[in-house]
């Protein structure tokens, strides 16, 4: 009933001991009350966090680092709603938010897409009936295009420059309309997109061709809640699930035999300069059977039983939250 947004300090990486274990307790810097369940949140910049609520409201909170407090900077009340914005109930959960400062895109159970700017009171653009079903997640494809996934197994591309309220492309899972819960695009090769859904499968799509996924990979035994490519090392992908598992998918094996498509932060930096990065370097994610010879999958929490609801990854750090009301930080991803 009583929800809060909290900022934690997970301590300094410099404190790690000789064999890499971490010393020092995380501590709470500040927190603030939040109305409704927190459905999603993302940093807009160093100081501001955009938070999506089950009440349909979207709030920008500001973290004041000088005195370690949080305050509500701006609020779009009932950005998502079922019947009409002015009725007392009527709010529809805002299920997903994505930021590209100063722009913020939100999606919700009402099938609505909003484009906000952090410095403007009203929505820059609203696509009212973007979808007839719940939109579960959203991410930027490029600065003017977004990807959404919905509860009937569709992945859609929207071009925000177009005034039309229709998607520019629709992709869908064949057959059963399995709800999709999460989406992420490859950081270097923007035509490669990963999604996960209610059946726990990982789908990899090439949005340049066809309308169906290029590969469907058996993953979790229950809903997949989140999928993330590693931002600087996208041969690595992470998924987490209701079944209590968190999988690390690694396609960087056999690097010596096959040129990797990584050109930053990867092991193959020495062999591949930008000039040789041409289309002949095919991503491991798009091969017909990525798991064959090419992929290692590790469950990072082997004996967890409760749902892993969310994860994020940066550098060697993986952070995830579970139904055990705990947040875990794994600092040795590539040990």
């Amino acid at each position: 009933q009583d929800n809060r947004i909290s900022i934690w300090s997970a301590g300094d990486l410099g404190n790690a001991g000789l064999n890499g274990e971490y010393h020092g307790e995380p501590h709470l810097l500040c927190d603030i009350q939040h109305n409704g369940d927190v459905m999603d949140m993302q940093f807009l910049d160093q100081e501001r966090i955009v938070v999506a609520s089950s009440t349909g409201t979207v709030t920008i909170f500001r973290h004041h680092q000088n005195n370690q407090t949080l305050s509500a900077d701006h609020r779009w009340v009932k950005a998502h709603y079922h019947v009409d914005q002015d009725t007392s109930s009527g709010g529809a959960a805002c299920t997903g938010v994505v930021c590209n400062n100063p722009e913020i895109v939100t999606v919700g159970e009402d099938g609505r897409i909003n484009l906000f700017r952090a410095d403007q009171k009203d929505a820059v653009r609203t696509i009212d009936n973007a979808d007839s079903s719940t939109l579960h997640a959203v991410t930027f494809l490029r600065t003017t295009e977004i990807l959404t996934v919905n509860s009937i197994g569709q992945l859609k591309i929207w071009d925000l420059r177009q005034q039309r309220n229709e998607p520019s492309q629709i992709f869908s899972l064949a057959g059963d309309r399995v709800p999709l819960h999460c989406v992420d695009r490859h950081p270097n090769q923007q035509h490669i997109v990963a999604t996960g859904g209610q059946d726990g499968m990982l789908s990899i799509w090439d949005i340049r061709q066809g309308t169906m996924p290029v590969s469907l990979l058996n993953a979790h035994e229950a809903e997949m809640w989140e999928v993330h490519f590693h931002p600087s090392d996208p041969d690595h992908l992470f998924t987490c699930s209701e079944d209590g598992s968190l999988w690390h998918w690694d396609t960087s094996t056999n690097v010596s035999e096959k040129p990797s498509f990584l050109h930053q932060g990867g092991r193959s930096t020495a062999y591949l300069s930008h000039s040789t990065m041409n289309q002949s370097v095919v991503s491991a994610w798009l091969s017909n059977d990525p798991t064959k010879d090419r992929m290692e999958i590790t469950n990072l929490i082997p004996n967890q039983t409760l749902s892993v609801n969310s994860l994020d990854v940066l550098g060697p750090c993986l952070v995830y939250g579970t139904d055990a009301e705990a947040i875990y930080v794994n600092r040795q991803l590539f040990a």
Side-chain angles (χ1 to χ4, degrees), residues 21-320:
E21 85 282 10
Y22 169 70
H23 301 294
E25 287 294 304
H27 64 276
L28 182 64
L29 296 178
C30 50
D31 63 357
I32 190 170
Q33 196 156 10
H34 180 268
N35 204 357
D37 294 341
V38 175
M39 305 298 285
D40 197 9
M41 58 180 170
Q42 198 174 58
F43 277 97
L44 176 67
D45 54 27
Q46 292 287 323
E47 296 185 337
R48 292 177 295 175
I49 305 131
V50 181
V51 181
S53 170
S54 58
T55 63
T57 293
V58 177
T59 310
I60 301 179
F61 289 99
R62 187 178 289 274
H63 175 211
H64 306 273
Q65 295 173 10
N66 52 354
N67 59 358
Q68 291 304 343
T69 55
L70 272 165
S71 64
D73 217 33
H74 188 73
R75 212 172 245 129
W76 290 283
V77 178
K78 283 200 203 142
H80 294 273
Y81 53 92
H82 281 305
V83 193
D84 111 58
Q85 220 163 356
D86 304 323
T87 53
S88 59
S89 56
C94 176
T95 50
V97 48
V98 65
C99 306
N100 185 14
N101 193 10
E103 296 188 321
I104 299 162
V105 175
T106 69
V107 295
E109 274 179 8
D110 52 358
R112 198 173 261 107
I113 298 173
N114 290 307
L115 171 63
F116 297 111
R117 281 181 67 102
D119 46 12
Q120 290 182 21
K121 196 161 130 279
D122 297 319
V124 178
R125 173 97 190 271
T126 294
I127 305 177
D128 270 329
N129 299 307
D131 216 298
S132 54
S133 63
T134 295
L135 288 168
H136 281 142
V138 59
T139 193
F140 276 100
L141 181 59
R142 297 180 186 82
T143 48
T144 55
E145 287 179 300
I146 56 167
L147 287 164
T148 59
V149 289
N150 69 11
S151 59
I152 55 170
Q154 292 172 322
L155 168 70
K156 297 182 182 180
I157 299 180
W158 305 82
D159 186 337
L160 297 173
R161 291 165 303 191
Q162 302 287 338
Q163 283 314 302
R164 298 182 308 126
N165 290 343
E166 261 82 53
S168 51
Q169 278 177 279
I170 301 178
F171 304 84
S172 56
L173 295 167
D176 317 330
R177 301 193 147 198
V178 177
L180 290 172
H181 290 304
C182 51
V183 57
D184 196 26
R185 74 147 171 79
H186 190 289
N188 308 340
Q189 297 188 304
Q190 296 178 338
H191 53 276
I192 302 175
V193 174
T195 64
Q198 191 167 306
D199 56 1
M201 299 277 280
L202 172 64
S203 309
I204 305 290
W205 314 69
D206 181 345
I207 59 172
R208 299 169 305 183
Q209 51 187 354
T211 56
M212 285 161 56
V214 287
S215 51
L216 285 169
L217 302 169
N218 275 314
H220 301 279
E221 288 163 26
E223 291 91 342
M224 185 188 295
W225 291 130
E226 195 120 46
V227 57
H228 275 299
F229 284 101
H230 191 291
S232 57
D233 209 344
D235 277 352
H236 300 268
L237 177 120
F238 300 87
T239 58
C240 64
S241 165
E242 180 71 31
D243 67 10
S245 61
L246 193 161
W247 285 18
H248 172 192
W249 306 70
D250 176 5
T251 62
S252 69
T253 46
N254 299 351
V255 158
S256 53
E257 292 127 65
K258 303 179 189 171
S260 161
F261 59 95
L262 259 190
H263 55 262
Q264 51 177 78
R267 316 181 194 170
S268 58
T269 315
Y271 324 123
L272 255 151
S273 66
H274 278 282
S275 56
T276 58
M277 283 289 301
N278 57 26
Q279 286 310 302
S280 66
V281 180
V282 177
S283 162
W285 294 110
L286 297 184
S287 65
N288 293 340
D289 180 7
T291 48
K292 187 169 170 286
D293 322 319
R294 217 16 253 238
M295 192 179 304
E296 288 176 42
I297 301 165
T298 318
N299 182 8
L300 298 179
I301 24 180
N303 38 20
Q304 177 77 19
T305 50
L306 296 170
S307 174
V308 185
N309 302 319
S310 186
L311 73 90
D312 205 358
V313 58
L314 186 66
C317 271
L318 172 77
V319 182
Y320 57 95

